[in-house]
Amino acid sequence: MGYLTRRLMTFPLIMLGVSILVFVAIRLVPGDAITAMLGTNAGLLTPEQRQALATYFGIDQSWPVQYWHWLLGIFQGNLGISVTYGKPVLDIILERFPLTLELALLSMVIALAIGLPAGVFAATRNERFSDLAVRIVAMIGQSTPNFVLGLLLIYALSAGFGVLPTMGEFTPIWQDPLGNLGQMILPALTLGFAFAASVTRVVRSAMLDVLSDDYVRTARSRGVPARGVIWRHALPNALIPVVTLSGVEFGYLLGGAVLVEQIYALPGLGRMVLDAILQRDYALVQGSVLFIAFNFMIVNLLVDLAYVALDPRVRLGEG
């Protein structure tokens, strides 16, 4: 049985475990869906009306019965109906996911475009002033919370240029590319800057290890130009820790960057899940977490496969 087959066979077991955890966890949150949905008006309900609503939403049944009905729905492609939006959960997730996916991709592009050259630059100038400067900036980037950087960007635009970023809406890139970029660039910079700092430090550390290897010294002794030694021989072998870090970060971003989406009022997946938790929208929380977990497993699988492409010495288990 091949490695890929074995990994795919574990997906249902992992999803089952995640489904049980999220099902129980959301119900341990104090309060109930009816009170969260109606607010103070819930106090005006008669016991009969509250019971009727509980029956309608299926929350009057025991937890095992509720979970069984939800699990059967999943096998039929039905994640339930959101009490907040009054729509199928899967439709709501697919409406919000394009924004989250684009934000994650833009953030990754920005982070790698900054972090890879900066890390290589620092490694090739080890213990010099330029190396120290890069490390200081990277440390500042890692220690600065995303919401602080986001607020500083908004303040700089409003106080310095008298403008505010477009917030609270999302224009798909296929409808208006420039309008979409105007909405997404600041949130992507906010997320990408902190991740670029992590990439810089990882690349620098990995490059320092690789540059001392025998094959690098051999390439230099054969007269290979310094640029070729760094970018064609050393960097590809230093990318495995970067791929690992990028996979974890990308999986996290696909779950939604809650703070950044809140600051820029973006209707993304993370903000939606947060609102669903506050509203005790059980079906939406459960479906969203399952969707996020599935994305995370796919990203981790792709990262493992990327190891082989980057380094032929890596062999995934067979048997």
Side-chain angles (χ1 to χ4, degrees), residues 85 95-104 106-107 150 154 165-172 179-191 253 255-275:
Y85 298 92
E95 287 176 4
R96 302 297 187 101
F97 186 61
L99 183 150
T100 300
L101 177 61
E102 182 183 350
L103 181 59
L106 283 176
S107 303
I154 294 174
T166 303
M167 297 189 294
E169 58 186 55
F170 174 65
T171 303
N180 173 272
L181 185 62
Q183 294 169 355
M184 301 298 292
I185 189 63
L186 285 181
L189 284 171
T190 302
L191 288 171
L253 291 175
V258 178
L259 290 178
V260 171
E261 289 180 1
Q262 282 286 96
I263 291 172
Y264 291 98
L266 293 174
L269 201 59
R271 189 179 176 204
M272 181 198 72
V273 173
L274 178 61
D275 291 341

Side-chain angles (χ1 to χ4, degrees), residues 54-82:
T55 302
Y56 176 78
F57 292 125
I59 58 177
D60 62 325
Q61 301 168 330
S62 64
W63 286 10
V65 173
Q66 292 183 47
Y67 178 77
W68 178 248
H69 289 165
W70 178 55
L71 196 62
L72 289 178
I74 293 176
F75 288 126
Q76 298 169 1
N78 177 20
L79 296 178
I81 302 295
S82 166

Side-chain angles (χ1 to χ4, degrees), residues 6-258:
R6 293 202 308 272
R7 283 292 299 271
L8 292 176
M9 288 178 63
T10 64
F11 277 24
L13 295 176
I14 296 174
M15 295 293 285
L16 180 64
V18 171
S19 70
I20 295 174
L21 286 175
V22 68
F23 181 89
V24 174
I26 186 59
R27 282 161 176 76
L28 292 177
V29 177
D32 61 82
I34 297 174
T35 302
M37 179 176 59
L38 298 180
T40 56
N41 292 329
L44 303 177
L45 295 174
T46 65
E48 292 77 14
Q49 290 172 329
R50 177 177 285 274
Q51 180 61 36
L53 284 174
T55 302
Y56 176 78
F57 292 125
I59 58 177
D60 62 325
Q61 301 168 330
S62 64
W63 286 10
V65 173
Q66 292 183 47
Y67 178 77
W68 178 248
H69 289 165
W70 178 55
L71 196 62
L72 289 178
I74 293 176
F75 288 126
Q76 298 169 1
N78 177 20
L79 296 178
I81 302 295
S82 166
V83 299
T84 305
Y85 298 92
K87 298 166 58 176
V89 168
L90 186 58
D91 292 349
I92 301 170
I93 293 174
L94 295 179
E95 287 176 4
R96 302 297 187 101
F97 186 61
L99 183 150
T100 300
L101 177 61
E102 182 183 350
L103 181 59
L105 290 172
L106 283 176
S107 303
M108 291 293 295
V109 169
I110 291 172
L112 295 176
I114 296 173
L116 284 175
V120 172
F121 177 83
T124 55
R125 290 158 178 80
N126 187 30
E127 301 303 333
R128 300 181 189 176
F129 176 77
S130 53
D131 173 37
L132 179 62
V134 170
R135 283 190 286 167
I136 290 175
V137 173
M139 190 172 298
I140 293 173
Q142 275 193 304
S143 59
T144 303
N146 287 331
F147 69 89
V148 173
L149 181 59
L151 293 174
L152 287 175
L153 287 174
I154 294 174
Y155 176 77
L157 284 176
S158 60
F161 300 95
V163 296
L164 282 172
T166 303
M167 297 189 294
E169 58 186 55
F170 174 65
T171 303
I173 192 170
W174 56 85
Q175 292 183 6
D176 183 3
L178 292 179
N180 173 272
L181 185 62
Q183 294 169 355
M184 301 298 292
I185 189 63
L186 285 181
L189 284 171
T190 302
L191 288 171
F193 180 72
F195 184 47
S198 300
V199 172
T200 299
R201 299 188 67 180
V202 170
V203 170
R204 177 185 178 275
S205 177
M207 284 291 292
L208 288 177
D209 291 337
V210 171
L211 288 174
S212 62
D213 286 347
D214 291 339
Y215 72 91
V216 174
R217 290 196 293 266
T218 300
R220 284 173 171 165
S221 66
R222 290 180 176 177
V224 177
R227 180 173 298 181
V229 170
I230 293 170
W231 294 100
R232 288 193 301 176
H233 294 272
L235 183 59
N237 292 294
L239 284 181
I240 285 185
V242 179
V243 171
T244 303
L245 178 65
S246 300
V248 173
E249 180 70 12
F250 191 65
Y252 160 73
L253 291 175
L254 287 181
V258 178

